[in-house]
Amino acid sequence: MTRRVAVFISGGGSNMVKLLESMTGDHPARPCVVFSNNPDAAGLARARDLGVATEALPHQPFAGDRSAFEAAISAALAPHAPDIICLAGFMRKLTAGFTDAWAGKMLNIHPSLLPKYKGLKTHSRALEAGDAEHGCTVHEVTARLDDGPVLGQAVVPVLPDDTPDTLAARVLTQEHRLYPAVLRRFAAGDRTPVYLRS
């Protein structure tokens, strides 16, 4: 059975594009919708160019009422009937009410080797700590921020002259490899972690 995938974005959606482009041929999933909390997100136009339906729902009118916002997200998703949600640069924290409803069916990609550096500014934090390696993680989503079972990691070396920007660029290249590889395996019902090294 082909799995239907919704991808959530807030910005340009480079990981989203790689996910959409990967779901062809013998892939066990197909994209059904790209959702954004930002109606001006550049990724929405990129998704439409790839022939994928889009939905946008600004969070600002909900004035901090996360439950109401998430109910509206669920209503927007319903006609598309997704089986899996992939968060790909979606910059809104989801409540337990939403994550519990999608337990075991929602993935996220985070730019660090979790459990290190949950939250923001991960590249700066890795450099400040003097880490020899950095990277990215795909994990199942739970109500706790950047938590949940790890489904894949990609490791990059930290170079002596790295800045947060140069490190981020190298990690992003690996994100584009890792996320599609994990989704393909996950959509086939295989939760064995994927490990990549550049």
Side-chain angles (χ1 to χ4, degrees):
M1 182 183 77
T2 301
R3 313 295 284 169
R4 295 171 61 81
V5 177
V7 184
F8 284 24
I9 63 171
S10 292
S14 69
N15 270 308
M16 173 270 296
V17 169
K18 296 299 181 184
L19 290 173
L20 299 190
E21 289 175 344
S22 75
M23 285 184 267
T24 59
D26 64 355
H27 197 291
R30 290 292 184 271
C32 63
V33 67
V34 171
F35 171 82
S36 184
N37 63 307
N38 174 12
D40 298 321
L44 292 173
R46 298 171 80 180
R48 288 191 290 268
D49 288 345
L50 290 168
V52 178
T54 61
E55 298 280 355
L57 184 69
H59 60 272
Q60 293 87 347
F62 294 89
D65 187 344
R66 290 181 188 269
S67 294
F69 177 54
E70 290 168 0
I73 293 175
S74 296
L77 290 181
H80 304 281
D83 303 300
I84 297 168
I85 293 176
C86 289
L87 306 181
F90 183 66
M91 303 305 290
R92 302 299 298 170
K93 190 171 186 317
L94 297 165
T95 71
F98 193 88
T99 60
D100 288 354
W102 285 93
K105 303 178 203 171
M106 183 160 44
L107 309 181
N108 182 45
I109 190 158
H110 181 72
S112 79
L113 297 173
L114 292 173
K116 280 188 170 185
Y117 314 128
K118 297 178 181 182
L120 303 175
K121 300 190 185 234
T122 59
H123 311 301
S124 300
R125 290 156 69 191
L127 290 173
E128 288 163 6
D131 290 352
E133 293 183 328
H134 187 46
C136 54
T137 303
V138 176
H139 63 96
E140 289 188 45
V141 176
T142 66
R144 297 177 62 181
L145 179 68
D146 299 327
D147 202 60
V150 169
L151 296 172
Q153 290 190 319
V155 177
V156 302
V158 177
L159 305 179
D161 58 350
D162 262 329
T163 66
D165 287 344
T166 61
L167 187 54
R170 284 209 317 288
V171 170
L172 185 62
T173 298
Q174 297 307 309
E175 291 180 33
H176 292 166
R177 294 177 61 212
L178 180 67
Y179 211 171
V182 171
L183 176 61
R184 174 182 276 269
R185 189 174 285 189
F186 184 81
D190 183 353
R191 285 173 162 77
T192 308
V194 176
Y195 290 104
L196 304 175
R197 185 172 286 272
S198 68

Tab-separated table of all heavy atoms in Angstrom, residues 22-47:
chain	number	residue	atom	x	y	z
A	22	SER	N	12.135	12.611	-4.180
A	22	SER	CA	12.512	11.211	-3.934
A	22	SER	C	11.334	10.249	-4.073
A	22	SER	O	11.537	9.051	-4.302
A	22	SER	CB	13.115	11.077	-2.533
A	22	SER	OG	12.118	11.132	-1.517
A	23	MET	N	10.119	10.744	-3.928
A	23	MET	CA	8.943	9.858	-3.877
A	23	MET	C	8.425	9.539	-5.271
A	23	MET	O	7.337	9.953	-5.689
A	23	MET	CB	7.856	10.493	-3.003
A	23	MET	CG	8.175	10.403	-1.524
A	23	MET	SD	6.850	11.034	-0.466
A	23	MET	CE	7.355	12.739	-0.244
A	24	THR	N	9.227	8.771	-6.008
A	24	THR	CA	8.874	8.359	-7.367
A	24	THR	C	9.228	6.888	-7.534
A	24	THR	O	9.820	6.274	-6.645
A	24	THR	CB	9.643	9.185	-8.420
A	24	THR	OG1	11.051	8.999	-8.215
A	24	THR	CG2	9.308	10.666	-8.317
A	25	GLY	N	8.879	6.337	-8.678
A	25	GLY	CA	9.280	4.963	-8.993
A	25	GLY	C	8.774	3.955	-7.974
A	25	GLY	O	7.591	3.924	-7.643
A	26	ASP	N	9.715	3.157	-7.435
A	26	ASP	CA	9.323	2.099	-6.508
A	26	ASP	C	9.277	2.577	-5.057
A	26	ASP	O	9.162	1.766	-4.138
A	26	ASP	CB	10.264	0.899	-6.637
A	26	ASP	CG	11.706	1.228	-6.242
A	26	ASP	OD1	12.009	2.407	-5.956
A	26	ASP	OD2	12.531	0.284	-6.219
A	27	HIS	N	9.335	3.869	-4.840
A	27	HIS	CA	9.245	4.415	-3.472
A	27	HIS	C	7.888	4.040	-2.869
A	27	HIS	O	6.856	4.124	-3.545
A	27	HIS	CB	9.392	5.939	-3.517
A	27	HIS	CG	9.707	6.571	-2.189
A	27	HIS	ND1	8.810	6.620	-1.158
A	27	HIS	CD2	10.832	7.181	-1.741
A	27	HIS	CE1	9.364	7.249	-0.127
A	27	HIS	NE2	10.587	7.573	-0.456
A	28	PRO	N	7.856	3.637	-1.591
A	28	PRO	CA	6.590	3.207	-0.993
A	28	PRO	C	5.655	4.343	-0.580
A	28	PRO	O	4.619	4.090	0.034
A	28	PRO	CB	7.041	2.405	0.236
A	28	PRO	CG	8.361	2.987	0.597
A	28	PRO	CD	8.996	3.404	-0.683
A	29	ALA	N	6.009	5.590	-0.897
A	29	ALA	CA	5.157	6.725	-0.512
A	29	ALA	C	5.054	7.723	-1.656
A	29	ALA	O	5.876	7.732	-2.576
A	29	ALA	CB	5.724	7.415	0.731
A	30	ARG	N	4.029	8.554	-1.546
A	30	ARG	CA	3.834	9.656	-2.490
A	30	ARG	C	3.402	10.886	-1.695
A	30	ARG	O	2.655	10.779	-0.712
A	30	ARG	CB	2.748	9.321	-3.524
A	30	ARG	CG	3.145	8.252	-4.532
A	30	ARG	CD	4.237	8.722	-5.469
A	30	ARG	NE	4.568	7.747	-6.504
A	30	ARG	CZ	5.478	6.782	-6.384
A	30	ARG	NH1	6.129	6.639	-5.247
A	30	ARG	NH2	5.729	5.963	-7.383
A	31	PRO	N	3.814	12.087	-2.137
A	31	PRO	CA	3.374	13.299	-1.447
A	31	PRO	C	1.908	13.583	-1.738
A	31	PRO	O	1.447	13.412	-2.870
A	31	PRO	CB	4.272	14.388	-2.044
A	31	PRO	CG	4.662	13.872	-3.394
A	31	PRO	CD	4.711	12.383	-3.269
A	32	CYS	N	1.173	14.010	-0.704
A	32	CYS	CA	-0.228	14.375	-0.934
A	32	CYS	C	-0.477	15.857	-0.688
A	32	CYS	O	-1.423	16.418	-1.255
A	32	CYS	CB	-1.163	13.528	-0.084
A	32	CYS	SG	-0.990	13.712	1.706
A	33	VAL	N	0.353	16.517	0.146
A	33	VAL	CA	0.166	17.946	0.396
A	33	VAL	C	1.417	18.504	1.068
A	33	VAL	O	2.115	17.793	1.793
A	33	VAL	CB	-1.081	18.202	1.284
A	33	VAL	CG1	-0.895	17.652	2.696
A	33	VAL	CG2	-1.444	19.689	1.336
A	34	VAL	N	1.685	19.777	0.780
A	34	VAL	CA	2.687	20.542	1.531
A	34	VAL	C	1.939	21.624	2.291
A	34	VAL	O	1.167	22.388	1.698
A	34	VAL	CB	3.749	21.152	0.599
A	34	VAL	CG1	4.653	22.125	1.362
A	34	VAL	CG2	4.589	20.048	-0.035
A	35	PHE	N	2.155	21.657	3.607
A	35	PHE	CA	1.461	22.597	4.489
A	35	PHE	C	2.452	23.598	5.056
A	35	PHE	O	3.584	23.248	5.406
A	35	PHE	CB	0.790	21.856	5.648
A	35	PHE	CG	0.246	22.782	6.701
A	35	PHE	CD1	-0.991	23.387	6.533
A	35	PHE	CD2	0.997	23.110	7.825
A	35	PHE	CE1	-1.473	24.280	7.474
A	35	PHE	CE2	0.522	23.999	8.775
A	35	PHE	CZ	-0.713	24.586	8.604
A	36	SER	N	2.018	24.857	5.190
A	36	SER	CA	2.857	25.872	5.828
A	36	SER	C	2.035	26.774	6.726
A	36	SER	O	0.876	27.064	6.433
A	36	SER	CB	3.580	26.735	4.787
A	36	SER	OG	4.446	27.651	5.428
A	37	ASN	N	2.667	27.205	7.819
A	37	ASN	CA	2.079	28.237	8.675
A	37	ASN	C	2.380	29.631	8.148
A	37	ASN	O	1.967	30.620	8.745
A	37	ASN	CB	2.629	28.119	10.103
A	37	ASN	CG	4.129	28.368	10.160
A	37	ASN	OD1	4.888	27.741	9.434
A	37	ASN	ND2	4.555	29.291	10.998
A	38	ASN	N	3.102	29.709	7.033
A	38	ASN	CA	3.495	30.984	6.428
A	38	ASN	C	2.995	31.012	4.984
A	38	ASN	O	3.580	30.365	4.112
A	38	ASN	CB	5.025	31.120	6.478
A	38	ASN	CG	5.522	32.344	5.736
A	38	ASN	OD1	4.750	33.225	5.369
A	38	ASN	ND2	6.819	32.396	5.498
A	39	PRO	N	1.907	31.752	4.702
A	39	PRO	CA	1.374	31.778	3.338
A	39	PRO	C	2.364	32.296	2.305
A	39	PRO	O	2.197	32.031	1.108
A	39	PRO	CB	0.157	32.715	3.449
A	39	PRO	CG	-0.219	32.683	4.896
A	39	PRO	CD	1.063	32.526	5.648
A	40	ASP	N	3.402	33.033	2.764
A	40	ASP	CA	4.410	33.571	1.842
A	40	ASP	C	5.637	32.676	1.733
A	40	ASP	O	6.631	33.062	1.106
A	40	ASP	CB	4.842	34.964	2.296
A	40	ASP	CG	3.683	35.956	2.292
A	40	ASP	OD1	2.859	35.895	1.356
A	40	ASP	OD2	3.592	36.775	3.228
A	41	ALA	N	5.620	31.510	2.335
A	41	ALA	CA	6.782	30.612	2.287
A	41	ALA	C	7.120	30.273	0.835
A	41	ALA	O	6.257	29.832	0.064
A	41	ALA	CB	6.495	29.338	3.068
A	42	ALA	N	8.379	30.478	0.485
A	42	ALA	CA	8.814	30.213	-0.894
A	42	ALA	C	8.623	28.744	-1.261
A	42	ALA	O	8.412	28.404	-2.430
A	42	ALA	CB	10.276	30.614	-1.062
A	43	GLY	N	8.670	27.867	-0.276
A	43	GLY	CA	8.520	26.445	-0.552
A	43	GLY	C	7.156	26.074	-1.105
A	43	GLY	O	7.027	25.053	-1.791
A	44	LEU	N	6.131	26.870	-0.829
A	44	LEU	CA	4.801	26.547	-1.351
A	44	LEU	C	4.791	26.612	-2.877
A	44	LEU	O	4.226	25.726	-3.533
A	44	LEU	CB	3.758	27.500	-0.762
A	44	LEU	CG	3.485	27.341	0.741
A	44	LEU	CD1	2.570	28.455	1.224
A	44	LEU	CD2	2.864	25.967	1.038
A	45	ALA	N	5.410	27.639	-3.430
A	45	ALA	CA	5.480	27.740	-4.889
A	45	ALA	C	6.323	26.611	-5.462
A	45	ALA	O	5.998	26.052	-6.529
A	45	ALA	CB	6.063	29.093	-5.294
A	46	ARG	N	7.383	26.244	-4.760
A	46	ARG	CA	8.230	25.142	-5.236
A	46	ARG	C	7.440	23.832	-5.241
A	46	ARG	O	7.582	23.009	-6.164
A	46	ARG	CB	9.480	25.022	-4.363
A	46	ARG	CG	10.347	26.270	-4.404
A	46	ARG	CD	11.470	26.243	-3.379
A	46	ARG	NE	12.600	25.442	-3.826
A	46	ARG	CZ	13.706	25.255	-3.112
A	46	ARG	NH1	13.809	25.789	-1.897
A	46	ARG	NH2	14.697	24.543	-3.586
A	47	ALA	N	6.611	23.628	-4.221
A	47	ALA	CA	5.788	22.421	-4.174
A	47	ALA	C	4.785	22.395	-5.324
A	47	ALA	O	4.611	21.366	-5.996
A	47	ALA	CB	5.060	22.337	-2.840
